[in-house]
């Protein structure tokens, strides 16, 4: 039996971050990967290919809808097959550069292809081969799951993985789900030329975002031609002669929606099936995720967990941070933990939505009062100058100290703007600290400073240069 200081189950962001730290510490480490190709979800079927296709969608739409009167519309040529080939080449290149070459640089890490299962709490079996680890890290990620709609399984559907590998562009698509995944793929395929209908059980899109952001983003997507049906209960899914049909019940009555195909983007579950967790006593949450404490330990103390399989925040950045922290806690007794309040998140629709810290609802629940300001982008000189005022910035500040408790942005570049806000939340800065910080003019990021200024003055009557 082979013996290791650390056995890592999973070859994605959490696994590679853990392996990087383990190699730095000189730990003899085995990486076991039996799911997606090396690199996991982000590089293969997540962040990288989807953001590439979202950028492609911008390149298709914006020439058709120029914001300047002096520029006429143009229709770019588009080849769907070439687009998917470009995406595949990007994925292969980054998998080689950011993962395979990185793995080759490790002196203490050995890679094993195959599904790992627990023989005992310290022993993992891979393709009949047993390896023992003093510590074990489960970083197997998560997978999409289909909602239990009557007839859906029999009718057939796409997950986002299949949607990234289609050979032909569907003429129409019904999307279940109004979270980041559903909205991003809706916009991708709509801008490529498909007629997209989005179906949601709840009242609004991106329900974890601020209501103002949800409402505004829905309006922008609908202006592009994406149909969004909310408060819709799916009654049945059927196959038709030339596609698929979804019957929904809405407050206005029963509707029948038809499309060439269906994309299910309603949620994810941890990849825990077949690991043998019940055999060794690792506790789970709703048979979907692994239960961990704040230091990423499972119910078996020498077994740690990191990444999406924890069900805490399904973000590549969190997975990587947890992978490193898990190794530090396991071997150095560091007792490190993540402050999720200062972890930013983004949705890469156009415009983008991003946020960090507390929402107004969360602040109200904690303090029983509201201390928020919202600045529409039509107040921001840069947005006006470039003729793209879609969006807003909303800031939540502590009602006594003025500390920035949360910032939520809808803007063309919200994912880039959010980092100033992240530092403000992480470092406990106040609105006055932001006001006192000189910003480049004109930029979209000035909207963050203006939101801070709104706590101290009437910004509706303010020149560009007011400090």
């Amino acid at each position: 039996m082979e013996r290791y200081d650390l056995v890592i189950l999973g070859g994605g962001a959490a696994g590679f971050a853990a392996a990087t730290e383990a190699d730095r510490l000189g730990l003899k480490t085995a990486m076991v990967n039996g799911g997606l190709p090396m690199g996991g979800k982000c590089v293969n079927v997540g962040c990288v290919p989807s953001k590439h296709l979202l950028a492609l969608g911008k390149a298709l739409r914006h020439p058709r809808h120029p914001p300047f009167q002096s520029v006429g519309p143009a229709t770019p040529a588009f080849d769907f097959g070439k687009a998917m080939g470009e995406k595949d080449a990007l994925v292969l290149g980054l998998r080689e550069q950011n993962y395979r070459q990185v793995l080759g640089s490790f002196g203490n890490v050995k890679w094993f292809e195959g599904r790992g299962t627990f023989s005992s709490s310290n022993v993992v079996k891979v393709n009949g081969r047993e390896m023992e680890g003093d510590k074990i890290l489960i970083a197997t990620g998560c997978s999409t799951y289909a909602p239990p709609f009557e007839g859906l399984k029999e009718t057939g559907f796409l997950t986002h993985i299949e949607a990234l590998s289609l050979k032909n562009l569907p003429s129409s698509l019904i999307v279940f789900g109004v979270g980041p995944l559903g909205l991003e793929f809706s916009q991708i395929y709509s801008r490529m030329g498909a007629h997209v209908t989005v179906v949601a059980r709840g009242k609004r899109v991106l329900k974890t975002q601020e209501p103002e952001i949800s409402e505004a983003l829905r309006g922008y997507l609908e202006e592009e031609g994406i149909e969004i049906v909310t408060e819709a209960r799916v009654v049945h899914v059927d196959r038709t002669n030339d596609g698929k049909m979804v019957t929904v019940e809405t407050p206005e009555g029963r509707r029948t929606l038809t499309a060439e195909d269906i994309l299910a983007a309603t949620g994810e579950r941890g990849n825990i099936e077949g690991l043998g967790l019940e055999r060794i006593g690792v506790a789970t949450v709703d048979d979907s995720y692994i239960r961990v404490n704040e230091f990423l330990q499972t119910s078996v103390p020498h077994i740690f967990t990191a990444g999406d399989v924890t069900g805490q925040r399904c973000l590549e950045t969190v997975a990587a941070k947890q992978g490193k922290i898990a190794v530090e806690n396991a071997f150095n007794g560091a007792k490190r933990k993540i402050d999720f309040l200062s972890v930013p998140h983004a949705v890469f629709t156009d415009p983008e939505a991003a946020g960090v810290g507390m929402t107004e609802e969360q602040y109200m629940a904690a303090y029983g009062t509201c201390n928020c300001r919202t600045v529409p982008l039509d107040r921001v000189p840069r947005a006006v100058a470039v003729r793209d005022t879609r969006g807003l910035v909303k800031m939540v500040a502590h009602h006594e100290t003025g500390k920035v408790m949360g910032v939520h942005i809808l803007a063309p570049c919200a994912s880039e703007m959010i980092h100033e806000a992240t530092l403000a939340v992480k470092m406990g800065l106040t609105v006055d600290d932001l006001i006192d910080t000189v910003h480049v003019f004109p930029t979209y990021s000035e909207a963050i400073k203006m939101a801070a200024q709104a706590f101290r003055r009437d910004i509706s009557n303010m020149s560009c240069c007011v400090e």
Side-chain angles (χ1 to χ4, degrees):
M1 183 183 298
E2 300 175 54
R3 298 181 183 275
Y4 293 89
D5 298 311
L6 175 65
V7 175
I8 301 170
L9 298 179
F16 261 87
T20 301
E21 181 65 11
D23 189 68
R24 188 185 72 81
L25 294 174
L27 301 172
K28 184 180 178 183
T29 302
M31 288 189 78
V32 179
N33 186 64
L36 290 168
M38 183 182 293
K41 180 174 70 173
C42 183
V43 72
N44 291 294
V45 295
C47 312
V48 168
S50 64
K51 278 49 182 179
H52 173 80
L53 294 179
L54 283 161
L56 185 151
K58 280 187 182 182
L60 286 173
R61 176 172 173 79
H62 288 195
R64 296 188 180 111
H65 304 273
F68 304 98
Q69 293 180 2
S70 56
V71 178
T75 302
F78 175 57
D79 186 312
F80 182 77
K82 284 185 178 179
M84 301 307 272
E86 235 182 344
K87 178 267 303 176
D88 291 340
L90 171 69
V91 169
L92 287 172
L94 287 180
R95 189 191 302 157
E96 177 67 25
Q97 176 183 321
N98 290 358
Y99 293 93
R100 200 171 301 282
Q101 290 179 14
V102 170
L103 179 68
S105 72
F106 293 152
N108 302 292
V109 181
K110 192 172 181 180
W111 178 270
F112 296 90
E113 286 283 355
R115 179 79 170 166
T117 60
F118 283 96
S119 298
S120 68
S121 64
N122 283 93
V123 177
V124 173
K125 180 182 285 189
V126 187
N127 297 328
R129 183 178 195 163
E130 289 194 330
M131 52 190 72
E132 183 179 17
D134 290 339
K135 303 286 171 61
I136 295 176
L137 175 67
I138 303 171
T140 49
C142 63
S143 300
T144 56
Y145 72 95
F149 298 151
E150 185 177 342
L152 178 61
K153 184 177 180 181
E154 295 77 10
T155 302
F157 61 93
L158 305 171
T159 68
H160 75 281
I161 295 177
E162 288 83 28
L164 285 169
S165 56
L166 293 176
K167 301 299 181 186
N168 299 295
L169 175 66
S171 60
S172 52
L173 195 63
I174 293 172
V175 178
F176 294 139
V178 287
L181 200 63
L183 295 187
E184 287 181 7
F185 274 85
S186 295
Q187 196 168 48
I188 286 171
Y189 275 95
S190 175
R191 289 183 167 186
M192 285 182 177
H195 179 270
V196 176
T197 303
V198 182
V199 177
R201 181 66 184 267
K203 292 185 178 181
R204 60 187 180 99
V205 305
L206 294 182
K207 64 181 181 180
T208 60
Q209 298 281 348
E210 291 284 12
E212 299 96 324
I213 288 177
S214 296
E215 182 180 352
L217 181 58
R218 176 178 180 171
Y220 299 137
L221 294 175
E222 289 178 331
E223 286 175 7
E224 290 191 16
I226 297 173
E227 183 180 6
I228 300 176
V229 183
T230 53
E231 297 183 81
R233 181 179 66 86
V234 175
V235 178
H236 201 275
V237 181
D238 300 279
R239 184 178 293 277
T240 64
N241 291 334
D242 55 355
K244 295 166 186 181
M245 179 173 67
V246 177
T247 303
V248 298
E249 198 74 56
T250 73
E252 292 76 34
R254 182 165 290 200
R255 291 187 59 184
T256 298
L257 310 172
T258 58
E260 184 177 333
D261 218 331
I262 294 170
L263 169 63
T266 50
E268 297 178 309
R269 288 179 178 170
N271 294 322
I272 62 175
E273 189 174 351
L275 293 178
L277 301 180
E278 65 287 342
R279 187 182 305 127
I280 60 172
V282 171
T284 61
V285 179
D286 299 328
D287 292 326
S288 297
Y289 298 101
I290 295 176
R291 187 183 301 279
V292 293
N293 64 15
E294 58 185 342
F295 306 118
L296 300 173
Q297 278 178 300
T298 70
S299 53
V300 179
H302 68 274
I303 299 177
F304 289 72
T305 302
D308 293 356
V309 74
T310 67
Q312 293 179 327
R313 287 277 188 93
C314 290
L315 299 172
E316 187 271 350
T317 48
V318 170
K321 180 68 72 175
Q322 287 183 327
K324 182 178 188 295
I325 287 175
V327 173
E328 292 176 326
N329 290 347
F331 291 93
N332 294 336
K335 292 193 177 299
R336 290 191 62 195
K337 52 188 177 181
I338 291 182
D339 172 23
F340 285 104
L341 193 65
S342 63
V343 173
H345 53 84
V347 182
F348 291 85
T349 48
D350 178 24
E352 300 172 345
V356 65
M358 300 177 79
T359 63
E360 178 181 348
E361 182 180 10
Q362 290 169 332
Y363 192 87
M364 286 287 294
Y367 296 98
T369 186
C370 170
N371 198 31
C372 307
R373 299 292 187 274
T374 300
V375 175
L377 290 193
D378 62 12
R379 296 292 310 164
V380 180
R382 174 63 182 272
V384 175
V386 302
R387 297 291 191 269
D388 194 349
T389 59
R390 297 172 300 159
L392 57 95
V393 172
K394 182 174 182 179
M395 184 175 291
V396 182
H398 195 279
H399 62 287
E400 293 176 342
T401 66
K403 281 187 177 181
V404 179
M405 304 299 290
V407 178
H408 307 277
I409 305 172
L410 182 66
C413 49
S415 64
E416 303 292 343
M417 296 168 64
I418 197 62
H419 296 103
E420 176 184 2
T422 299
L423 280 173
V425 171
K426 182 177 177 63
M427 305 308 295
L429 302 183
T430 67
V431 295
D432 296 305
D433 291 323
L434 293 180
I435 294 169
D436 194 44
T437 300
V438 177
H439 288 62
V440 171
F441 175 87
T443 58
Y444 274 100
S445 291
E446 281 188 298
I448 295 175
K449 180 173 182 173
M450 293 175 70
Q453 287 175 313
F455 287 93
R456 301 290 184 247
R457 63 181 304 125
D458 177 8
I459 66 167
S460 66
N461 185 30
M462 183 178 77
S463 72
C464 297
C465 55
V466 167
E467 287 290 322

